[in-house]
Amino acid sequence: MSDREQQRLDFLRAAGLADAARTPLPGDASTRRYERLTTPSGVHLMLMDQLAAAESAPADPSWSPERRKAEGWNAVARLSAGRIEAFAAVAGHLRSLGLSAPEIVAVDAAAGLAVLEDFGDDLFARVIEAGEPEEPLYLAAVEALATLHDAPAPAILSGAAGDWPLLAYDETALQGGADLFVEWMPGLDPALSFDEAAIDEWRAAWAPVTARGAAGATVMAHRDYHAENLIRLPGRSGAAGVGLIDFQDAVRAHPAWDLHSLLQDARRDVPAALEARALDHYFALRPATDREAFLRDYAGLAALNEARILGVFARLIVRDGKPRYRAFMPRMWAHLNANLKTPGLEPVARWFDAHVPQARRQ
């Protein structure tokens, strides 16, 4: 038996769950793993297993951009490095707003272990594939975002495992994400090559987008808000009927961030009519929003995120040997190409025209 398995057993025993049956769940692109626990009485729970040492350190709020770059990717992007205390703190805030984040049943943050409420397997993406109408699900997801956006975004979140800072998704993090494209795409597509001048042009083209994104960072953002991370909870209604998971990397960000993640999804097609209907619903729920300015930022941040995701997918394929992510890339290229037609994104569009011919964008 490995030391880690002994640690899991000791944790479950201390939580009164030594007799629970354990069923591993499929992994994702992270270093985190889950098991479904079933108690002798038939109660289902989830074991979250995330060793803090498996990733580079998260950003300290006091670190400069230069220090963050020296410390590694998690610090640059202001990711939580999978810290259990981050998950617990964000969950506590979401639950305080009446939103549905899993209850923390037991936690040992130092060990990187937690037992969570089990929301089941009804991911939005799966129930839609099984025939569930998608519009009510998406509108409920928008209602959950409106609830989150109407609440103040505290600088410090408190949860079952202690406090955690809610950092801003600032220009360093936004540009760092975009830069994954120029760093990793040439390894995937040898026809692409970006010299130092091209990279300088790239960053200058994105500078107005990152500046607006940072200036508009006023709400808590889930940061990975899409149909694979939302669970239908039939016993709850409205915004509470949306089960939220995988939110440990939450930041203070522009309210458009989670909306474009939901409506310009990397993993499934969201019809244009549904995207428009969902945006209308958001504006109806938050009538003080400047629609024109919001949609400009929505397109700019969506384009930046799509470039980031293309870079992430390239890295997963090239570095990590996960070719299945190639299947998601045409959808991201389609979203990016469409967003580049938005007024205000002409510098970015010109950069792509100069350095990534249309034939390579697929």
Side-chain angles (χ1 to χ4, degrees):
M1 181 186 299
S2 69
D3 291 345
R4 184 58 174 170
E5 175 60 11
Q6 186 62 58
Q7 199 170 23
R8 295 185 198 104
L9 290 174
D10 292 343
F11 172 69
L12 292 172
R13 185 177 299 110
L17 294 166
D19 295 333
R22 298 165 57 189
T23 305
L25 298 183
D28 58 15
S30 74
T31 56
R32 192 170 49 255
R33 66 190 294 273
Y34 289 96
E35 295 179 6
R36 174 162 282 129
L37 307 176
T38 305
T39 69
S41 62
V43 174
H44 294 295
L45 298 166
M46 298 294 293
L47 173 66
M48 177 190 285
D49 180 352
Q50 171 80 63
L51 269 174
E55 299 193 19
S56 62
D60 184 285
S62 67
W63 287 351
S64 67
E66 292 72 25
R67 173 71 184 277
R68 286 159 63 187
K69 291 171 186 175
E71 291 288 341
W73 175 244
N74 284 328
V76 169
R78 288 188 155 166
L79 296 167
S80 70
R83 298 299 172 83
I84 296 287
E85 54 266 44
F87 184 93
V90 177
H93 181 67
L94 294 171
R95 289 173 62 84
S96 77
L97 302 178
L99 298 173
S100 292
E103 180 183 356
I104 310 297
V105 176
V107 62
D108 184 340
L113 295 165
V115 175
L116 316 174
E117 178 183 6
D118 184 3
F119 281 164
D121 297 320
D122 284 347
L123 297 173
F124 277 21
R126 302 291 84 79
V127 299
I128 291 169
E129 289 169 357
E132 186 83 9
E134 59 187 344
E135 181 170 314
L137 295 171
Y138 274 84
L139 296 187
V142 168
E143 290 164 17
L145 284 183
T147 298
L148 181 59
H149 295 174
D150 281 341
I156 301 293
L157 305 173
S158 297
D163 292 344
W164 188 262
L166 185 69
L167 302 179
Y169 205 4
D170 62 2
E171 289 164 280
T172 298
L174 288 164
Q175 187 62 58
D179 286 351
L180 293 176
F181 181 92
V182 292
E183 180 179 357
W184 289 99
M185 283 300 294
L188 182 65
D189 185 348
L192 301 179
S193 177
F194 311 125
D195 60 18
E196 187 174 341
I199 292 173
D200 287 344
E201 293 167 11
W202 167 262
R203 291 174 178 157
W206 285 115
V209 177
T210 63
R212 290 197 303 271
T218 57
V219 303
M220 177 190 274
H222 177 293
R223 193 168 175 163
D224 203 14
Y225 197 77
H226 56 76
E228 301 275 355
N229 278 340
L230 305 175
I231 299 176
R232 183 189 60 176
L233 301 176
R236 310 181 196 187
S237 61
V242 181
L244 307 175
I245 59 172
D246 207 17
F247 44 68
Q248 60 280 340
D249 292 321
V251 284
R252 190 175 73 254
H254 194 294
W257 191 267
D258 280 344
L259 271 173
H260 76 65
S261 295
L262 176 70
L263 302 174
Q264 297 191 11
D265 197 329
R267 294 165 178 80
R268 69 178 308 272
D269 293 322
V270 178
L274 178 55
E275 180 182 14
R277 173 77 179 90
L279 287 168
D280 285 343
H281 192 47
Y282 181 81
F283 294 129
L285 293 168
R286 305 194 76 220
T289 303
D290 181 332
R291 183 181 182 122
E292 182 178 354
F294 188 97
L295 289 176
R296 177 197 63 189
D297 293 343
Y298 174 90
L301 291 170
L304 183 146
N305 195 39
E306 284 140 13
R308 180 190 71 86
I309 291 171
L310 286 165
V312 169
F313 288 166
R315 182 177 64 188
L316 286 165
I317 297 164
V318 172
R319 186 192 71 184
D320 301 337
K322 297 181 177 180
R324 67 182 182 276
Y325 286 94
R326 191 183 289 271
F328 300 135
M329 297 183 80
R331 184 179 293 109
M332 283 291 91
W333 277 120
H335 286 315
L336 176 57
N337 288 333
N339 284 314
L340 290 181
K341 298 174 183 177
T342 304
L345 289 181
E346 292 86 356
V348 182
R350 286 194 294 270
W351 187 93
F352 274 94
D353 288 341
H355 298 286
V356 187
Q358 281 289 347
R360 315 311 305 176
R361 303 186 212 173
Q362 53 187 324

